[in-house]
């Protein structure tokens, strides 16, 4: 890793080998659920390295899923368009540096003693940890800055789904940043520094920490498990499946609007799991509800996890049967969710669940029909959707002169 | 108030010591030391020379006037190099100091009041400390502001104390918040002394280990609890009211001589916003009276005063910063105006009536101001 643009600012070098190993231990001690989600999930061989920030698509979508998440939704405070655009440029520069493993600005120390350092410092000495930062624009952003005419048709207001119990303080947002990394401290550092740079322009509306990826985009790796103990994401779109990515994830030029070409749409749902009642459920019922066996993850009547599921062998309300593309006219989404445990809920129960993140070319042909079809899902007895947001994910930042949102904001500038 | 930590007390004590270096002593000037004769009268302050070499200097003071006087050697920003109080009519005193090359003022204060009668003097030779006269003026003006706030606070505090001692709970409640405004505007300066803040502005949870709330908790918030929560005052409260006046009088005596620099002014402004962010926005500061927004406003006013005084220099070094600060101060003040009947009134909405969403809005506005304000110190460093 080179650091030629600011020789004085140290790059994050890990003293611990694979970044996050020490922290994973701490997290496991804090809750058995954590350890469960991570069992046998060996670190990918390239853990710690840097993921390129520039490209036709934003990183953090088709990128092999990292271990940790810090997701933040922001509301815009300023009404000054130029100021907001400048912030996007400042964010881009900071993201470019952080994803490469560098501190933001002039670094975390060594500057004027009278001034606070540009970088908050907690990621100094850590590896890039495959940090990706992915920005998205929420529907409400298009009510501001004269952007109304640029709101994509696909950026709909999500309908109310059966069983929704949404907390508006955990929903929506004018924009979002998804920070994923193999080291939680690197992800948190990224969101914290972007929030700081954004002060006066944007404020955090809500944020979510996640651990134990619940979906894999690397089929060769072991499929991770969610907090219910089941393998999740067996049939997910892999980062290497260029054709399926093109068909189901990236917005083609033909779909419009022009500024979204190469982008995607992100649905974020905070799904609370009723962990305690689930844990009292018999193995048979658990397997019936999912439509797969718990150990291997094989579909009902099959021997191996990756065997083609025979949907009709499953109960009519089995989760896999209802969510499967074959039950939804082929609707397919790329899932990138994480488990969360935000302490307890005051009633002695874990405030835990799945922070569901799904990328797709068009929510009207992705998440919406699938979620409607899940209205009769047997799993609904054990889960509740408590937060919801939808964001348009603009295309990637092409090079060092490009910036997040340029295609949207310079189109009419 | 800021929770007192042993460390901050030690630092403040060290600062207090530093402020009185060059103590008076009775020795004669020797080893080629410089003697400046100062002849003080009721309307004059004559010096035998206006230039002397840097290094050890001795003032031979004679009070030929009819009033008790004081003599000071001051930096251009009015920081005290050395001082001598209580010089009676017809008496002589010797005052010594170590001075570096640069400009100073010698001041006599007949009657021990006011800014004094000044004489500009110069210590020559050696390397002069680089100073920006605009920053010296900013510090001197801020020092005057701090003193003025303390001077204006005492009568308001006395009104409050009297109502407590009269057992007039309604009058005491009414006088409570106004008695705190001058303090809140200049709190970082008071905190730099270390010992006054824990006496007058501590909250019950701010008491240290081993301190007993029944005997060791003093000051405004102790009385706040009596007035609003216990709804009664007794002998102990009368005692505490007197004690508050004693402590605030001590503050008024000392505050003008605090160690103030452009950097400490800028950081003090940021600290005032920190006070707002951690104490007022949460409603912790005035948990019984709910007068948090009065303190909030006073903190912002004090921060803005420092900023306005430093602005001419800061603007030259970082125009974008001052533009942003002007904008964010205005935005926060506009937001605060929503909570009072007019822009001159300090009758702010009781904070228990301010809902969660409104509190978040206030918090966001504080963050929007405090973040750029944290860069002010760097913009006023003498280059």
């Amino acid at each position: 890793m080179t650091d030629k643009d600011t020789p004085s600012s140290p790059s994050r070098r890990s003293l611990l080998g694979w970044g996050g190993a020490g922290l994973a231990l701490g997290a496991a001690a804090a809750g058995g659920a954590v350890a469960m989600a991570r069992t046998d999930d060996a670190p990918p061989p390239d853990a710690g390295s840097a993921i390129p920030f520039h490209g036709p698509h934003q990183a953090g979508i088709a990128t092999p899923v990292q271990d940790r998440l810090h997701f933040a939704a922001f509301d815009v405070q300023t009404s000054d368009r130029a100021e907001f655009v400048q912030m996007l440029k400042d964010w881009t520069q900071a993201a470019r540096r952080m994803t490469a493993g560098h501190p933001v600005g002039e670094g975390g120390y060594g500057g004027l003693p009278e001034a606070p350092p540009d970088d908050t410092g907690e990621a100094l000495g850590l590896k890039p940890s495959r940090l990706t930062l992915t920005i998205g624009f929420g529907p409400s952003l298009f009510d501001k800055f004269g952007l109304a005419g640029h709101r994509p048709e696909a950026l709909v207001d999500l309908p109310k789904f059966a069983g929704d119990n949404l907390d508006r303080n955990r929903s929506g947002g004018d924009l979002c940043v998804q920070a994923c990394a193999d080291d939680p401290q690197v992800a948190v550092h990224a969101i914290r520094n972007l929030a700081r740079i954004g002060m006066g322009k944007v404020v955090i509306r809500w944020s979510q920490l996640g651990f134990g990826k619940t979906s894999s985009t690397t089929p060769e790796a072991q499929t991770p498990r969610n907090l219910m103990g089941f393998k999740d994401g067996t049939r997910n779109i892999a980062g290497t499946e260029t054709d399926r990515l093109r068909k189901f994830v990236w917005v083609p030029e033909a779909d419009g609007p022009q500024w979204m070409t190469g982008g995607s749409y992100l649905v974020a749902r905070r799904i609370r799991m009723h962990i305690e009642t689930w844990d009292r459920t018999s193995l048979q019922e658990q397997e019936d509800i999912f439509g797969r066996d718990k150990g291997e993850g094989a579909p009902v009547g099959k021997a191996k996890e990756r065997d083609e599921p025979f949907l009709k062998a499953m109960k009519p309300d089995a989760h896999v049967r209802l969510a499967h593309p074959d039950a939804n006219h082929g609707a397919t989404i790329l899932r990138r969710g994480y488990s969360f445990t935000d302490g307890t809920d005051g009633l002695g129960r874990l405030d835990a669940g799945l922070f569901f993140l799904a990328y797709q070319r068009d929510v009207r042909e992705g998440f919406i029909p699938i979620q409607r079809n899940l209205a009769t899902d047997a799993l609904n007895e054990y889960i509740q959707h408590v937060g919801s947001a939808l964001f348009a994910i603009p295309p990637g930042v092409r090079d060092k002169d490009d910036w997040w949102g340029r295609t949207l904001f310079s189109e009419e500038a | 108030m800021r929770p007192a930590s042993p460390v901050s007390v030690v630092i403040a004590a060290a600062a207090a010591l530093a402020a009185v270096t060059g103590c008076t002593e009775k020795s004669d000037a020797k080893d080629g030391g410089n003697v400046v004769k100062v002849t003080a009268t009721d309307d004059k302050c004559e010096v035998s020379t206006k230039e002397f070499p840097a290094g050890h200097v001795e003032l031979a003071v004679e009070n030929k006037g009819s009033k008790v006087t004081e003599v000071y050697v001051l930096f251009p920003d009015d920081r005290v190099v050395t001082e001598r109080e209580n010089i009676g009519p017809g008496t002589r005193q010797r005052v010594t100091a170590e001075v570096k090359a640069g400009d100073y003022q010698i001041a006599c204060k007949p009657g021990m009041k006011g800014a004094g009668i000044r004489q500009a003097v110069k210590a020559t030779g050696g390397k002069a400390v680089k100073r920006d006269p605009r920053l010296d003026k900013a510090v001197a003006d801020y020092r005057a502001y701090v003193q003025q706030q303390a001077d204006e606070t005492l009568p308001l505090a006395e009104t409050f104390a009297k109502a407590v001692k009269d057992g007039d709970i309604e009058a005491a409640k009414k006088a409570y918040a106004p008695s705190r405004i001058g303090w809140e505007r200049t709190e970082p300066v008071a905190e730099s002394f270390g010992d006054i803040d824990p006496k007058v502005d501590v909250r019950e949870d701010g008491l240290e280990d081993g301190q007993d709330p029944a005997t060791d908790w003093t000051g405004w918030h102790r009385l706040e609890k009596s007035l609003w929560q216990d709804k009664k005052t007794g002998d102990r409260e009368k005692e505490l009211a007197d004690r508050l006046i004693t402590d605030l009088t001590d503050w008024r005596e000392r505050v003008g001589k605090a160690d103030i620099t452009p950097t400490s002014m800028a950081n003090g402004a940021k600290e005032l916003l920190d006070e707002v962010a951690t104490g007022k926005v949460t409603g912790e500061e005035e948990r019984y009276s709910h007068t948090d927004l009065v303190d909030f406003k006073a903190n912002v006013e004090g921060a803005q005063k420092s900023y306005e005084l430093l602005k001419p220099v800061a603007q030259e070094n970082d125009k974008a910063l001052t533009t942003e600060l002007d904008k964010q101060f205005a935005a926060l003040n506009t937001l605060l105006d929503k909570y009072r009947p007019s822009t001159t009134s300090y009758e702010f909405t009781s904070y228990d009536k301010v809902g969660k969403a409104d509190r978040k809005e206030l918090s966001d506005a504080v963050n929007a101001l405090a973040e750029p304000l944290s860069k002010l110190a760097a913009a006023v460093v003498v280059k």
Side-chain angles (χ1 to χ4, degrees):
Chain A
M1 192 164 53
T2 60
D3 197 8
K4 51 184 178 248
D5 46 354
T6 51
S8 63
S9 56
S11 60
R12 299 190 212 117
R13 275 180 296 271
S14 176
L15 303 169
L16 297 169
W18 178 55
L23 291 149
L25 185 68
V34 182
M36 179 185 73
R38 296 175 52 83
T39 304
D40 301 328
D41 192 7
D46 57 348
S49 63
I51 304 281
F53 180 69
H54 297 141
H57 312 294
Q58 290 195 68
I61 303 171
T63 308
V65 184
Q66 302 91 327
D67 287 325
R68 303 294 178 132
L69 169 81
H70 191 183
F71 189 96
F74 296 83
D75 280 339
V76 172
Q77 233 179 344
T78 181
S79 51
D80 181 341
R81 180 182 167 122
E83 186 178 52
F84 183 69
V85 166
Q86 186 56 48
M87 187 207 73
L88 290 174
K89 290 176 179 174
D90 293 344
W91 268 14
T92 310
Q93 181 54 19
R96 196 177 273 129
R97 288 191 57 80
M98 290 191 288
T99 52
H102 304 308
V104 300
E106 301 287 316
Y109 57 88
L112 270 181
E114 290 85 359
D118 287 348
D119 188 279
T120 57
E122 72 273 28
L124 296 171
L126 300 178
K127 287 184 174 184
S129 305
R130 300 198 302 127
L131 173 69
T132 55
L133 293 165
T134 314
I135 198 169
F137 302 134
S140 51
L141 182 71
F142 294 86
D143 299 335
K144 304 183 164 84
F145 305 126
L147 292 172
H150 297 272
R151 178 171 169 173
E153 271 179 41
L155 191 68
V156 297
D157 293 314
L158 286 178
K160 182 172 165 40
F161 297 102
D164 276 2
N165 183 22
L166 304 180
D167 175 355
R168 66 175 299 280
N169 292 321
R170 288 189 190 276
S171 300
D174 291 336
L175 57 164
C176 73
V177 177
Q178 170 196 280
C180 297
D182 289 327
D183 184 330
Q185 185 139 327
V186 169
V188 168
H189 168 263
I191 292 296
R192 174 181 173 189
N193 279 270
L194 293 180
R196 184 174 174 218
I197 292 167
M199 271 183 193
K201 277 78 81 176
V202 295
V203 290
I204 290 192
R205 178 182 174 88
W206 55 270
S207 72
Q208 181 68 54
L209 289 171
F211 60 86
K213 60 188 180 192
T214 61
S215 299
S216 169
T217 52
T218 43
E220 66 281 6
Q222 165 120 6
T223 308
R225 292 177 187 269
N226 59 30
L227 287 188
M228 289 176 155
F230 277 78
K231 288 183 180 175
D232 202 340
T234 300
R235 299 262 310 172
N236 206 13
I237 301 172
T240 49
E241 290 179 287
T242 320
D243 289 347
R244 285 177 87 205
L245 286 169
R246 194 183 299 128
K247 189 169 174 195
F248 296 116
V249 177
W250 308 128
V251 176
E253 192 171 0
D255 285 8
Q258 184 66 31
W259 71 267
M260 274 295 288
T261 305
S264 189
Y265 293 91
L266 168 64
V267 173
R269 305 277 286 187
R270 188 175 190 271
I271 306 174
R272 171 87 188 266
M273 290 176 177
H274 303 310
I275 295 280
E276 291 76 11
T277 54
W278 174 258
D279 293 346
R280 294 193 280 264
T281 303
S282 73
L283 177 61
Q284 184 61 57
E285 190 180 341
Q286 289 187 11
E287 292 184 337
D288 285 348
I289 287 171
F290 269 94
R292 288 183 183 271
D293 85 283
K294 201 165 185 177
E296 165 64 24
V300 172
K302 300 291 175 85
K304 292 287 176 197
E305 178 192 347
R306 296 190 189 284
D307 288 348
E308 196 57 37
F310 180 55
L311 298 183
K312 285 186 177 155
M314 298 175 184
K315 302 255 184 192
D317 57 0
H319 179 71
V320 168
R321 179 168 177 170
L322 292 170
H324 197 276
D326 290 354
N328 294 288
H329 308 287
T332 303
I333 53 182
L334 183 154
R335 283 163 294 150
R336 228 178 179 283
Y338 287 82
S339 294
F340 69 84
T341 307
D342 293 343
T344 47
D345 66 357
L347 298 172
R349 307 176 301 190
L350 287 178
D351 180 2
L354 167 65
F355 189 66
F356 173 93
L357 293 168
Y359 287 89
Q360 59 237 280
R361 171 177 160 181
D362 190 331
V363 283
R364 295 167 298 181
E365 290 156 26
F367 177 74
I368 291 174
I370 296 171
Q371 186 59 23
R372 283 212 168 108
N373 205 40
L374 289 174
T376 56
D377 188 353
L379 195 55
N380 290 343
E381 195 182 329
Y382 300 95
I383 61 171
Q384 189 173 48
H385 288 235
V386 293
S388 175
L390 173 62
F391 299 97
I393 307 295
V397 173
R398 292 174 310 186
D399 54 37
K400 65 176 181 50
D401 298 318
D402 199 5
W403 45 278
W404 269 340
R406 177 190 52 81
T407 56
L408 172 60
F409 283 91
S410 60
E411 203 172 51
E412 57 167 15
Chain B
M1 100 107 222
R2 186 166 59 183
S5 72
V7 175
S8 69
V9 172
V10 169
I11 290 168
L17 279 175
V20 294
T21 48
C23 297
T24 56
E25 51 184 63
K26 296 265 177 188
S27 73
D28 291 323
K30 48 194 169 189
D31 305 329
N34 320 289
V35 180
V36 180
K37 282 188 197 161
V38 180
T39 310
T41 66
D42 292 350
D43 53 8
K44 282 201 179 81
C45 186
E46 288 169 347
V47 293
S48 59
T49 176
K50 295 200 171 186
E51 278 196 16
F52 44 84
H56 190 77
V57 64
E58 179 176 316
L59 305 187
V61 182
E62 183 175 9
N63 183 359
K64 289 189 172 175
S66 65
K67 295 176 183 165
V68 179
T69 195
E70 296 172 346
V71 171
Y72 289 81
V73 179
L74 300 168
F75 285 107
D77 62 2
D78 277 9
R79 183 155 58 95
V80 177
V81 179
T82 185
E83 62 174 307
R84 183 68 169 171
E85 296 175 0
N86 287 314
I87 305 173
T91 64
R92 293 164 190 260
Q93 292 281 352
R94 286 177 185 277
V95 187
T96 62
E98 292 294 328
V99 293
K100 291 182 176 161
D103 292 327
Y104 296 89
Q105 290 194 319
I106 290 174
C108 305
K109 291 192 188 178
M112 307 209 292
K113 279 195 294 210
I117 304 158
R118 307 279 185 109
Q119 290 286 354
V121 295
K122 184 182 235 129
T124 54
K127 254 197 252 167
V129 179
K130 208 171 165 189
R131 305 191 72 100
D132 182 332
R134 295 170 305 167
L135 289 175
D136 284 335
K137 182 172 187 315
V139 171
D141 288 353
Y142 184 66
R143 191 181 296 284
Y145 170 76
V146 169
Q147 187 65 58
Q148 181 203 353
Q149 293 303 313
D151 291 345
E152 288 173 9
T153 293
L154 256 290
L156 295 169
E158 277 158 6
T159 304
F160 171 63
K162 182 170 183 305
V164 171
K165 291 196 325 192
D166 291 348
D168 187 342
I169 291 185
E170 280 319 303
K173 281 179 162 181
K174 210 161 166 259
Y176 172 76
S179 76
R180 293 176 44 72
I181 291 174
W183 171 270
E184 288 290 328
R185 281 175 180 154
T186 60
E187 199 170 354
V189 180
E191 282 176 346
S192 74
F193 298 126
D195 57 339
I196 300 179
D197 182 66
K199 289 180 194 163
V200 304
D201 198 27
V202 72
R203 301 192 306 246
E204 190 168 10
D205 51 294
L207 294 176
E208 288 172 33
D209 257 6
Q211 285 192 308
D212 178 359
T215 52
D216 300 327
W217 187 18
T218 60
W220 271 303
H221 294 301
R222 166 65 180 75
L223 293 167
E224 179 202 1
K225 190 181 180 194
S226 295
L227 294 170
W228 271 273
Q229 174 144 308
D230 307 336
K231 301 184 174 65
K232 58 174 195 269
T233 56
D235 289 346
R236 175 66 178 154
E237 284 70 29
K238 288 178 187 173
E239 239 176 79
L240 288 169
D242 280 334
R243 173 81 186 274
L244 177 66
I245 298 304
T246 305
D247 292 334
L248 289 177
T249 304
D250 180 30
W251 165 56
R252 184 183 60 184
E253 300 296 306
R254 287 157 68 186
V255 75
K257 298 171 194 168
D259 200 359
I260 300 172
T261 64
T263 306
S264 78
M265 278 172 70
N267 284 333
K270 184 201 80 88
E271 281 163 28
L272 282 167
L273 268 290
D274 292 346
E275 292 271 339
V276 174
T278 55
K280 278 75 176 189
V281 159
T282 56
E284 285 171 55
E285 178 85 11
E286 306 286 5
R287 61 189 60 171
Y288 310 111
S289 65
H290 305 300
T291 54
D292 302 86
L293 286 179
V294 183
D295 297 2
F296 190 145
K297 179 67 183 176
N299 286 157
V300 174
E301 285 174 338
Q304 192 159 7
K305 181 71 186 181
S306 292
Y307 166 59
E308 295 292 350
L309 290 172
L310 295 171
K311 190 174 155 185
V313 174
Q315 189 164 259
E316 207 171 273
N317 293 333
D318 192 344
K319 182 82 173 78
L321 178 67
T322 54
T323 304
E324 179 69 11
L325 285 171
D326 285 342
K327 189 175 115 184
Q328 298 298 350
F329 266 117
L332 183 55
N333 282 322
T334 304
L335 186 58
L336 279 171
D337 285 345
K338 277 172 46 181
Y339 298 94
R340 56 176 175 174
S342 77
T343 52
T344 51
S345 167
Y346 281 82
E347 302 273 324
F348 280 87
T349 306
S350 181
Y351 204 57
D352 56 340
K353 304 280 192 295
V354 178
K356 211 173 158 190
D358 289 331
R359 288 184 184 201
K360 179 173 185 294
E361 188 182 26
L362 286 164
S363 175
D364 289 343
V366 169
N367 280 336
L369 172 60
E371 186 63 30
L373 199 53
S374 72
K375 301 189 170 91
L376 180 60
V380 295
V381 174
V382 181
K383 297 206 175 85

